[in-house]
């Protein structure tokens, strides 16, 4: 079929006539039958969000995706493109991708009437059939629907000539998918212009006496109205969406970690970077803790971008230390957890009457997260030898800039009991206890948990990454 270059050749090839939604449904059914993944990089939605989207496509519905920020709404819309045919034929040079069998614009109707089966045909790929518009208060009806092109009028055409129309984004997505991000931000008078598209499937441009029966799927995203306060979706428009899809934040720690690993910026070349899994769990637990903290605005939400940014900042702190101390590899330690707070606190919105308490709230949530992960891995371990050493006067300093060897030299590791404790702890944390950076990270995580369990003391400005561990007595 792809070799057809004229309308006649296309007819002879037996190319079918079907709408965009029929095309999407047929391709989705084929995907479901073959078990090919439809949303390969979407994590945690397989039993909740994705079935709803699939049902919307199968029902040939326009859909609106509701959810807080950072819940992959835009990515879900963009993945729908993969359900379109790889290529489709259009009348060559058409602004609105007219189907060769059924042209709807004046230019193509005239061309087909004049040339018949000799009308030239070209093929466009699926990416050219997807349009995305971020709704902003300055969007006009002309942007979406179209307006008179003064240049074409100046060229000599009559003002009432349909050929003087400059089509907007909606008709230019004819036979494709139109996505509108943050729909409530679109002024209500502009939302009215979408009513006909969703119900009658046509548009009217200015005062022209024309009707363009468009073929498209409209999908929109929105934050819940009680969060944005910037606008609302008018009731008649909301009623015209056939399906509503509700997204959510990751419900399991493993899902959050998978998203973090997938989306975080790759490590630079040169110094190997290894982030221990228990520290990734700590960041995931921190996000979960903040999503249940009353001092954090839950209508705004705690985006997955918070977790991604925290992981990137944690890795950056370890890389900085490795370079400063000329270490062979970069491995984050608990001291690096406190350095990420200035970088990520701006992603949160707080509901607190006491200004300036935001860092304190975030630090408290971080401590609870460390304690949760520490209990998961190290509860029940015998740390008697280590605690006795601190009670006997041992003091250990740490900071985000202190090298691994310098940190380890502060411990009496020649003491067999302490050395065995470190090795057992590294094993339970599933890290390499032989590498100095990993060994230091495991040992510091042990100390942080002992402090949070009130077995040893800790002094110093935790938010700056520097602290001293000492005996509890």
């Amino acid at each position: 079929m792809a070799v057809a270059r004229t309308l006649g050749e296309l007819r002879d090839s037996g190319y079918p006539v079907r709408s965009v939604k029929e095309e999407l449904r047929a391709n989705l059914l084929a995907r479901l039958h073959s078990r090919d993944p439809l949303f390969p990089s979407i994590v945690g939605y397989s039993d909740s969000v994705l079935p709803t989207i699939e049902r919307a496509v199968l029902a040939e519905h326009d859909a609106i995706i509701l959810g807080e920020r950072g819940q992959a709404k835009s990515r879900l819309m963009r993945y729908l493109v993969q359900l379109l045919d790889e290529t489709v034929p259009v009348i060559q040079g058409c602004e609105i991708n007219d189907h060769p069998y059924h042209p709807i614009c004046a230019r193509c109707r005239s061309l087909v009437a004049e040339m018949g089966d000799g009308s030239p045909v070209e093929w466009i790929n699926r990416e050219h059939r997807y349009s995305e518009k971020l709704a902003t208060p300055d969007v006009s009806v002309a942007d979406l629907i179209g307006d008179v092109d003064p240049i074409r009028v100046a060229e000599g055409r009559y003002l009432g000539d349909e050929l003087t129309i400059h089509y907007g984004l909606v008709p230019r997505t004819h036979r494709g998918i139109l996505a509108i991000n943050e729909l409530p931000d679109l002024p209500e008078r502009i939302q009215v212009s979408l009513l006909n598209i969703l119900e009658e499937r046509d548009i009217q441009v200015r005062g022209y006496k024309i009707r363009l029966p468009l073929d498209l799927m409209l999908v929109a995203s929105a934050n819940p109205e009680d969060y944005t306060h910037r606008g609302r979706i008018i009731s008649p428009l909301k009623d015209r969406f056939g399906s509503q899809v509700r997204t959510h934040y990751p419900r399991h720690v493993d899902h959050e970690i998978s998203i973090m690993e997938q989306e975080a910026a790759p490590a630079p070349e040169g110094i190997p970077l290894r982030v221990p899994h228990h520290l990734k769990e700590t960041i995931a637990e921190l996000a979960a803790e903040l999503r249940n903290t009353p001092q954090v605005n839950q209508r705004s939400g705690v985006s997955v971008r918070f977790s991604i940014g925290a992981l990137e900042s944690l890795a950056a702190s370890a890389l900085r230390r490795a370079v400063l101390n000329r270490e062979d590899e970069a491995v984050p330690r608990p001291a690096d957890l406190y350095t990420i707070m200035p970088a990520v606190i701006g992603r949160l919105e707080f509901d607190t009457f006491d200004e300036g308490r935001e860092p304190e709230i975030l630090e408290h949530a971080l401590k609870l997260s460390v304690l949760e992960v520490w209990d998961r891995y190290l509860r029940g371990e015998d740390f008697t030898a280590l605690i006795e050493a601190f009670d006997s006067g041992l003091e250990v300093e740490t900071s985000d800039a202190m090298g691994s060897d310098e940190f380890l030299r502060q411990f009496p590791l020649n003491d067999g009991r302490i050395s065995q404790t470190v090795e057992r702890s590294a094993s339970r944390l599933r890290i390499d206890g032989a590498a100095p950076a990993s060994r230091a990270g495991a040992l510091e995580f042990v100390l942080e948990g002992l402090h949070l369990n009130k077995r040893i003391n800790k002094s110093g400005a935790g938010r700056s990454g520097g602290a001293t561990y000492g005996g509890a007595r």
Side-chain angles (χ1 to χ4, degrees):
M1 295 182 186
V3 298
R5 296 301 174 190
T6 65
L7 176 55
E9 292 176 4
L10 188 67
R11 292 188 197 278
D12 293 340
S13 70
Y15 187 82
V17 178
R18 61 180 181 179
S19 68
V20 168
K21 291 182 178 178
E22 290 172 342
E23 177 186 333
L24 291 168
R25 180 172 63 180
N27 290 335
L28 174 57
L29 288 171
R31 287 284 188 97
L32 293 175
H33 181 74
S34 65
R35 309 276 182 181
D36 290 337
L38 175 58
F39 302 92
S41 68
I42 301 294
V43 178
Y45 283 176
S46 57
D47 297 325
S48 53
V49 178
L50 301 189
T52 307
I53 292 180
E54 290 167 356
R55 285 190 285 268
V57 173
L58 294 175
E60 299 188 9
H61 283 172
D62 297 297
I64 182 166
I65 304 175
L66 296 178
E68 283 80 16
R69 58 187 179 181
Q71 292 185 352
K73 299 187 296 295
S74 297
R75 182 168 296 189
L76 286 168
M77 294 191 297
R78 290 164 190 163
Y79 266 125
L80 290 174
V81 176
Q82 302 305 313
L83 289 178
L84 294 170
D85 289 343
E86 187 173 348
T87 59
V88 294
V90 300
I91 296 179
Q92 192 175 76
C94 182
E95 296 179 72
I96 62 173
N97 303 330
D98 265 345
H99 196 299
Y101 296 168
H102 304 293
I104 64 174
C105 74
R107 179 256 183 193
C108 292
R109 292 198 308 268
S110 175
L111 179 66
V112 172
E114 178 184 345
M115 300 186 64
D117 284 351
S119 302
V121 169
E122 63 181 340
W123 295 75
I124 60 173
N125 58 38
R126 56 168 67 107
E127 284 74 21
H128 285 95
R129 302 170 61 199
Y130 175 81
S131 297
E132 185 174 314
K133 180 65 176 178
L134 176 62
T136 55
D138 63 335
V139 173
S140 66
V141 174
D143 294 333
L144 294 178
I145 308 301
D147 205 345
V148 176
D149 187 340
I151 296 178
R152 295 181 182 180
V153 175
E155 289 174 346
R157 292 188 175 93
Y158 289 107
L159 190 58
D161 189 343
E162 189 177 333
L163 294 175
T164 63
I165 298 174
H166 175 76
Y167 293 109
L169 187 63
V170 173
R172 288 177 182 273
T173 316
H174 176 47
R175 301 176 65 208
I177 300 173
L178 173 63
I180 300 180
N181 260 318
E182 310 298 346
L183 183 59
D185 287 350
L186 203 64
E188 294 182 13
R189 64 183 180 83
I190 309 301
Q191 293 183 35
V192 171
S193 67
L194 299 176
L195 296 179
N196 267 28
I197 297 167
L198 287 171
E199 190 68 25
E200 288 78 16
R201 317 306 303 182
D202 66 11
I203 61 167
Q204 299 172 4
V205 181
R206 286 284 186 170
Y208 289 87
K209 192 176 181 180
I210 63 169
R211 177 178 178 271
L212 292 180
L214 298 177
D215 175 23
L216 54 81
M217 177 184 184
L218 180 62
V219 57
S221 72
N223 288 306
E225 291 175 293
D226 59 349
Y227 157 56
T228 62
H229 296 296
R230 296 173 297 192
R232 68 183 187 92
I233 304 173
I234 60 175
S235 297
L237 183 60
K238 187 186 299 184
D239 182 58
R240 281 167 164 79
F241 283 102
S243 292
Q244 175 178 297
V245 181
R246 192 64 168 85
T247 59
H248 55 79
Y249 288 123
R251 293 171 176 169
H252 304 286
V253 169
D254 289 344
H255 291 165
E256 186 112 28
I257 293 173
S258 296
I259 296 171
M260 289 158 48
E261 293 175 337
Q262 175 180 283
E263 302 298 327
E269 297 181 2
I271 300 178
L273 170 67
R274 291 192 296 109
V275 181
H277 195 268
H278 66 275
L279 292 186
K280 294 179 182 177
E281 287 186 52
T282 302
I283 292 176
E285 290 288 354
L286 173 60
E289 178 67 30
L290 291 170
R291 289 174 189 142
N292 292 288
T293 300
Q295 292 90 349
V296 175
N297 188 326
Q298 298 305 323
R299 292 176 300 174
S300 169
V302 180
S303 168
V304 177
R305 298 188 189 98
F306 171 91
S307 307
I308 298 168
L311 179 61
E312 292 172 337
S313 296
L314 182 75
S317 182
L319 283 169
R320 174 179 177 271
R321 178 175 57 251
V323 171
L324 290 175
N325 293 278
R326 293 178 171 80
E327 296 182 334
D328 294 331
E329 65 173 346
V331 179
R333 302 203 308 254
D336 299 311
L337 289 170
Y338 292 92
T339 68
I340 71 176
M341 292 193 290
V344 300
I345 196 170
R347 296 181 181 270
L348 304 175
E349 293 187 20
F350 293 87
D351 285 334
T352 175
F353 294 107
D354 301 326
E355 291 187 11
R357 287 194 61 236
E358 292 85 355
E360 179 184 337
I361 295 169
L362 182 56
E363 184 174 343
H364 177 68
L366 177 58
K367 289 178 178 178
L368 292 177
S369 305
V370 171
L371 190 56
E372 175 72 22
V373 177
W374 193 93
D375 286 345
R376 187 177 300 155
Y377 283 94
L378 299 174
R379 177 171 289 279
E381 180 62 53
D382 183 8
F383 294 109
T384 303
L386 198 56
I387 294 171
E388 288 177 352
F390 278 102
D391 289 341
S392 299
L394 175 65
E395 288 190 347
V396 174
E397 294 183 3
T398 185
S399 75
D400 61 285
M402 180 181 288
S404 303
D405 290 334
E406 182 181 357
F407 176 77
L408 291 171
R409 280 197 295 269
Q410 301 176 84
F411 292 87
L413 295 177
N414 55 346
D415 184 323
R417 292 192 307 158
I418 292 180
S419 179
Q420 290 176 7
T421 299
V422 175
E423 290 177 4
R424 289 197 305 270
S425 300
S427 176
R428 294 182 68 168
L429 290 171
R430 304 174 198 164
I431 60 178
D432 179 11
S438 298
R439 191 179 179 88
L443 192 47
E444 186 174 322
F445 190 72
V446 169
L447 300 187
E448 186 68 12
L450 291 176
H451 159 63
L452 294 176
N453 280 295
K454 304 186 185 306
R455 307 293 300 277
I456 62 175
N457 283 332
K458 179 183 179 183
S459 60
R463 290 174 213 157
S464 67
T468 301
Y469 295 98
R473 294 194 296 270

